[in-house]
Amino acid sequence: MTAANPLLALDYLPALESLGDDYYDIVPAAEFPQHMLRFRNDDLVRLLGLDPATVSDEDFIEAFGKFQGREPFLALRYHGYQFGEYNPFLGDGRGFLYGQVRGTNGNLYDFGTKGSGTTPYSRGGDGRLTLKGGVREVLASEALHALGVNTSRAFSLVETGEALWRGDEPSPTRSAVLVRFSQSHIRFGTFERLEYHNRPDLIAKLLEHVIDVYYPEARLFTDAQERYLHFYKELCDRVARLAAQWMAVGFCHAVLNTDNMSITGESFDYGPYAFMDGYDPRFTAAYFDYAGRYSYGNQPLICQMNLKALQKPLKLIMPEADLEAALAPFKDRYEAYYQQLMLRKLGFESLADDLATALVSQTIALLSAVTVGYHDFFLALAQQFSPAWREHATLIFSTTLQASDAAAASQLDDWRQTYYRCLQSLDAEKMAGVASLLKRTNPETVLLRPAIEEIWEPITTDDNWQPFYDLLNKVQHPFGQG
Ligand code: AMP
Ligand code: MG
């Protein structure tokens, strides 16, 4: 007798389903020729109140590879601005909402698939995900989570044994289905579609649902207008914080279309993303982003524009002036979050305002002037920091940073003096705290592109997954194992 599958026995809640079929289409899952479990997230199994030892690989495959034992699957309807152009033909084209469950923390989570077959929104696509695409999303979401970014996670990755043809991968290429674990798959574009169809009633209904589940504190306002405004203000703040997190960890999402913006302010959907190597605001990750619209440095501004775009549907149920006023502080909020995160990467929980501003801006100026990896710089700082730096400015980075020219040399000198003044502003006994914060905020392993390509090679040539598991383990513990 086989025990019941604990993944199927979870308490699935029809949260979105109960809103009615204006928001989704019921779709079947594809049948795949093979099922090979390549990744399972036992951290998340525990978050669901299960002991990973009681969940077998077969259980994962039954639920999240063969999609047996549960229905309905909901392909979510949405539109979106893609590279600035409105696209009314979007929607879940290769995925669906598998189900919604509560974590032991009380939060509601989505299991959302990617690569599970065609839907009414596939637009001629095959509804599939390449194995490499799946591997890249697993790595990105686990790396970002470990770095403290508010992100969706990967729950499972099952290789499915089909041959896919893609313009951006040597083809035929291998197939997989990913299950994503996220706060929500409701996007800015979900609301944009309802505006397109001129359905303020459906916008209000969906917004009340979003507030109930993801902004419960807004329920304190008995007045609907106050509730809506609280939601939008809080969303703007969450998105400002998310943009600051991406920027501080040196991450370029690459496809910040409004259909890839979660209504919860969580980061998700990792396609052609990249962590940048050297500091460069113009760094662009997607080969098809010819104009650099979604470059690393543009991300805060694009997030602000996307929040502005969301006003169009929200305007159907609330005053535009309120929305404008709520968005106005975005830039300041972003800068405050960014400054705080960068200060921590520099070893300081807090500093006098003028020192903090000078240190962060001079660090950016220095990183722009010298040839050094963004992550290498901060890791070197963490590794070389010594309490003696507080006594002698000349000791600060005395051996590593080589200035390439006179302008860079003077930047380095300025930076050293400022860092010295910051250290001097703290008591000597605070230096251990600086050393420890530097180690806790600056990763030893960063998911740079060459690291991903390196693990991909043994997978394609020998089906050797060990380098993938090694890299995954490193990015899951970026500040060292101990
Ligand atoms: P993305 O760029 O991954 O956010 O996807 C944009 C849209 O294209 C979404 O509606 C996807 O569901 C759809 N899509 C992407 N790849 C495929 C595919 N292979 N088959 C069908 N739809 C796809
Ligand atoms: Mg997407």
Side-chain angles (χ1 to χ4, degrees):
M1 197 179 73
T2 49
N5 186 338
L7 296 172
L8 294 172
L10 290 167
D11 187 13
Y12 286 92
L13 303 168
L16 195 75
E17 187 191 335
S18 65
L19 295 185
D21 61 5
D22 289 307
Y23 302 98
Y24 54 78
D25 294 77
I26 294 178
V27 294
E31 282 183 32
F32 299 112
Q34 291 176 33
H35 309 88
M36 291 157 283
L37 184 66
R38 298 305 186 190
F39 169 74
R40 50 178 279 173
N41 198 326
D42 284 345
D43 238 17
L44 297 179
V45 170
R46 277 183 218 99
L47 178 60
L48 295 173
L50 298 175
D51 174 359
T54 66
V55 186
S56 68
D57 289 0
E58 274 310 313
D59 291 334
F60 268 89
I61 285 173
E62 181 188 23
F64 298 137
K66 296 183 176 164
F67 298 100
Q68 291 167 342
R70 236 202 84 71
E71 57 176 19
F73 301 137
L74 315 179
L76 303 182
R77 299 177 179 178
Y78 56 83
H79 293 173
Y81 282 94
Q82 299 188 303
F83 290 86
E85 297 285 328
Y86 193 75
N87 186 344
F89 305 106
L90 290 173
D92 275 343
R94 53 168 167 175
F96 49 69
L97 180 63
Y98 173 94
Q100 297 180 286
V101 290
R102 264 187 213 290
T104 50
N105 56 10
N107 295 345
L108 186 71
Y109 292 99
D110 282 10
F111 286 122
T113 65
K114 189 171 185 180
S116 51
T118 54
T119 76
Y121 307 101
S122 300
R123 293 177 292 159
D126 59 8
R128 299 323 199 246
L129 172 68
T130 67
L131 179 62
K132 188 177 189 183
V135 162
R136 281 177 48 86
E137 173 146 345
V138 170
L139 288 168
S141 46
E142 289 307 290
L144 289 172
H145 172 73
L147 293 171
V149 175
N150 179 19
T151 178
S152 70
R153 309 277 299 273
F155 194 78
S156 62
L157 182 69
V158 175
E159 184 173 355
T160 47
E162 294 180 318
L164 307 180
W165 296 85
R166 290 290 185 276
D168 52 3
E169 281 185 39
S171 296
T173 188
R174 291 152 73 171
S175 65
V177 61
L178 175 92
V179 173
R180 184 189 289 144
F181 188 84
S182 78
Q183 292 172 23
S184 173
H185 285 81
I186 301 173
R187 308 136 191 271
F188 290 16
T190 312
F191 284 90
E192 288 171 328
R193 171 181 163 271
L194 299 169
E195 189 276 335
Y196 183 86
H197 294 306
N198 194 22
R199 293 298 301 268
D201 55 329
L202 295 181
I203 291 176
K205 184 173 168 185
L206 185 64
L207 188 54
E208 292 288 6
H209 168 79
V210 165
I211 288 169
D212 272 343
V213 184
Y214 308 108
Y215 298 81
E217 70 286 353
R219 277 279 148 220
L220 291 174
F221 300 103
T222 48
D223 177 64
Q225 288 300 320
E226 286 183 49
R227 234 175 8 253
Y228 299 166
L229 188 57
H230 174 93
F231 150 78
Y232 185 69
K233 268 190 198 157
E234 174 65 19
L235 173 65
C236 290
D237 199 71
R238 290 186 195 181
V239 172
R241 188 165 54 211
L242 175 63
Q245 290 169 346
W246 284 334
M247 296 302 283
V249 304
F251 182 75
C252 180
H253 180 287
V255 193
L256 290 180
N257 295 333
T258 57
D259 53 297
N260 286 340
M261 297 287 295
S262 166
I263 206 70
T264 69
E266 185 184 52
S267 171
F268 83 120
D269 208 353
Y270 303 114
Y273 73 85
F275 283 85
M276 69 174 177
D277 189 349
Y279 178 80
D280 178 6
R282 288 161 311 172
F283 174 74
T284 303
Y287 69 89
F288 48 84
D289 186 1
Y290 308 109
R293 180 183 179 90
Y294 298 142
S295 65
Y296 165 77
N298 273 1
Q299 295 181 114
L301 181 65
I302 292 289
C303 283
Q304 188 177 351
M305 288 166 59
N306 287 343
L307 285 161
K308 171 84 187 159
L310 181 62
Q311 291 184 6
K312 200 171 172 201
L314 295 179
K315 254 174 5 195
L316 294 186
I317 58 165
M318 58 191 294
E320 184 172 11
D322 286 359
L323 292 163
E324 272 304 321
L327 183 57
F330 180 90
K331 190 160 179 283
D332 289 347
R333 296 303 300 147
Y334 162 74
E335 274 163 12
Y337 282 126
Y338 179 70
Q339 171 109 329
Q340 184 58 32
L341 291 170
M342 294 307 286
L343 266 194
R344 287 170 57 83
K345 282 177 80 67
L346 289 156
F348 303 98
E349 290 286 4
S350 70
L351 285 174
D353 279 354
D354 54 336
L355 272 181
T357 311
L359 180 60
V360 172
S361 65
Q362 284 185 32
T363 302
I364 296 304
L366 176 66
L367 288 169
S368 311
V370 296
T371 311
V372 60
Y374 178 76
H375 308 283
D376 295 340
F377 172 85
F378 286 101
L379 184 59
L381 186 61
Q383 289 174 335
Q384 291 176 36
F385 176 80
S386 153
W389 286 11
R390 187 178 172 280
E391 313 307 326
H392 304 284
T394 51
L395 293 177
I396 299 176
F397 265 153
S398 55
T399 52
T400 19
L401 277 189
Q402 300 300 324
S404 47
D405 54 46
S410 110
Q411 286 286 359
L412 179 53
D413 255 11
D414 289 352
W415 183 84
R416 201 177 260 141
Q417 281 306 319
T418 304
Y419 200 73
Y420 177 68
R421 281 198 295 134
C422 294
L423 292 175
Q424 284 268 310
S425 77
L426 302 184
D427 294 338
E429 67 264 26
K430 292 277 170 65
M431 293 305 106
V434 172
S436 147
L437 188 57
L438 285 169
K439 292 229 155 75
R440 282 181 287 127
T441 50
N442 295 306
E444 286 172 14
T445 303
V446 177
L447 190 62
L448 297 177
R449 267 189 183 145
I452 303 179
E453 293 308 314
E454 240 168 68
I455 61 132
W456 189 244
E457 159 82 17
I459 292 173
T460 46
T461 53
D462 301 321
D463 203 27
N464 174 7
W465 287 78
Q466 198 51 48
F468 163 68
Y469 295 119
D470 292 344
L471 177 63
L472 182 62
N473 188 46
K474 281 191 201 152
V475 299
Q476 286 174 327
H477 304 96
F479 311 117
Q481 295 283 345

